Amino acid sequence: MRVPKSAAGAGTAPAPVRHGRGWYRGDCHLHSLASSGGELTPEQVVADARAAGLHFLAATEHNTAATHDTWSRQADGDLLVILGQEVVTRTGHWLALGLPPGHVVDWRYGVRDDVIERQLAEVHRAGGLCVAAHPHAPYPSGTFMYPYQGFDAVEVWNGPWSSDVPWQADNEAALAGWGRSLAADLHQGRWRPATGNSDTHLKGQLGVPHTVVLAEELSADEILAAIRAGRSWIAGSTAVELSFTVSAGDRSAGIGERLATGGEPVVARVDVRGVPSGTVSFHTEQGTAHRAPLTGSGAAVVEWRVSAADSAFVRVEVRHPGGHMAALSNPVVLA
């Protein structure tokens, strides 16, 4: 977890939970009894996270830091707990991740008050990350009315909450909006990565979905840096595995990275596990560019060719036979 420099000493950072570069799975939007609708204690959430095989959590209670101390005490062994807040405003919710202990971000405003930039800057000064949460949530104040400018990422996949449907129309709308913006954002030199989180309030929701990040180590700073850079993909469960690389000649790049193609043909390669009889699709600035079926075992390697002249990026989606999302990636940027 992140602590203020005054508490840790100048230049001192908390020791990582685990050393070494790797893919780490985590859920960055969850609640305990301290949040409206929450039915679990922090201890219960952490126990569920360990049972599910997650590596990190971000505690994001509604507009309070009252449970920060309790959440901090759960951060031992092999699980990282990052402190945060779901900032519930009158015209949309957003996640402040990586807050100092006890820090509360103001929530008493709406889009017409023109103060959101100041609140984002406050979190950024503290070293935190700002994520637009469930942009199309179908309830009062849940729909995100602020511009994405100033936010570091967009939560395109939010959990079922009180529904038993793992992929809903509001997620489809959020994903479509984010996907449409990628080409324009890349042209302007700044794109916002996608994240996915469970928004856990009830038993059985944790990790559905969660974000899988490529970080230099399992520490708050490195996990947040990986999310900010887009070195991540979203999984509907820990049973789903995905590897996505793009190559041109002897050069290759992974999710969230940039590939200098040199004008050579580009080969996009995705390796999927855990989605029996599903479908993998490749997406570019021209939309859905290629689809391929997965085997009945759910394990397959699919390759597809594209060029930088045709698109500035390639990303992938993996869906179950019924069309519900199983996994989706941030893009590989083509240059």
Side-chain angles (χ1 to χ4, degrees):
M1 79 211 73
R2 184 183 303 276
V3 298
K5 287 186 177 180
S6 60
T12 301
V17 172
R18 187 183 303 176
H19 291 279
R21 180 180 174 88
W23 288 97
Y24 297 104
R25 294 177 180 260
D27 196 333
C28 289
H29 187 172
L30 51 91
H31 303 278
S32 75
L33 289 161
S35 293
S36 174
E39 295 183 359
L40 305 171
T41 66
E43 292 82 359
Q44 288 173 316
V45 175
V46 166
D48 288 347
R50 289 196 167 97
L54 298 182
H55 302 108
F56 65 91
L57 300 176
T60 55
E61 309 285 18
H62 297 147
N63 296 341
T64 182
T67 56
H68 275 186
D69 286 346
T70 304
W71 282 109
S72 297
R73 289 195 294 271
Q74 310 307 311
D76 58 8
D78 57 355
L79 184 73
L80 172 70
V81 177
I82 300 170
L83 300 181
Q85 176 187 335
E86 181 173 7
V87 186
V88 179
T89 80
R90 293 193 296 272
T91 55
H93 303 185
W94 56 280
L95 307 176
L97 307 178
L99 295 176
H103 186 105
V104 178
V105 181
D106 189 22
W107 68 92
R108 292 159 293 196
Y109 50 86
V111 66
R112 289 185 295 172
D113 297 311
D114 198 26
V115 300
I116 188 68
E117 291 183 2
R118 186 164 70 247
Q119 304 305 321
L120 300 179
E122 175 187 323
V123 174
H124 287 147
R125 282 194 299 272
L129 197 72
C130 302
V131 181
H134 47 62
H136 295 273
Y139 50 82
S141 90
T143 301
F144 195 80
M145 302 303 291
Y146 304 99
Y148 286 155
Q149 182 178 359
F151 284 88
D152 302 293
V154 180
E155 187 182 68
V156 303
W157 187 351
N158 185 264
W161 209 75
S162 60
S163 169
D164 59 359
V165 180
W167 177 260
Q168 303 171 34
D170 50 304
N171 290 323
E172 202 74 73
L175 175 61
W178 172 79
R180 283 194 300 269
S181 72
L182 271 179
D185 288 345
L186 283 167
H187 182 68
Q188 295 172 2
R190 173 69 174 90
W191 61 280
R192 289 168 187 83
T195 68
N197 305 294
S198 70
D199 199 356
T200 285
H201 288 69
L202 313 175
K203 184 72 174 177
Q205 295 177 330
L206 191 70
V208 184
H210 61 275
T211 301
V212 190
V213 305
L214 178 60
E216 298 302 318
E217 63 185 15
L218 186 54
S219 68
D221 285 345
E222 293 299 335
I223 292 295
L224 295 180
I227 294 173
R228 184 182 289 109
R231 298 193 304 271
S232 61
W233 60 278
I234 307 170
S237 79
T238 53
V240 178
E241 298 180 10
L242 181 145
S243 174
F244 176 44
T245 57
V246 178
S247 61
D250 60 355
R251 300 172 302 282
S252 65
I255 299 170
E257 297 177 337
R258 178 179 292 270
L259 176 66
T261 67
E264 297 186 68
V266 175
V267 178
R269 183 180 189 272
V270 60
D271 188 340
V272 182
R273 300 286 186 274
V275 191
S277 302
T279 302
V280 60
S281 56
F282 296 82
H283 300 257
T284 71
E285 63 190 52
Q286 297 179 10
T288 305
H290 181 69
R291 285 191 177 93
L294 300 176
T295 65
S297 69
V301 175
V302 180
E303 291 188 348
W304 175 67
R305 294 182 180 273
V306 67
S307 73
D310 294 329
S311 183
F313 68 89
V314 184
R315 64 177 184 87
V316 296
E317 296 178 9
V318 184
R319 293 183 183 251
H320 292 290
H324 292 152
M325 194 70 71
L328 65 93
S329 79
N330 275 300
V332 178
V333 178
L334 306 180

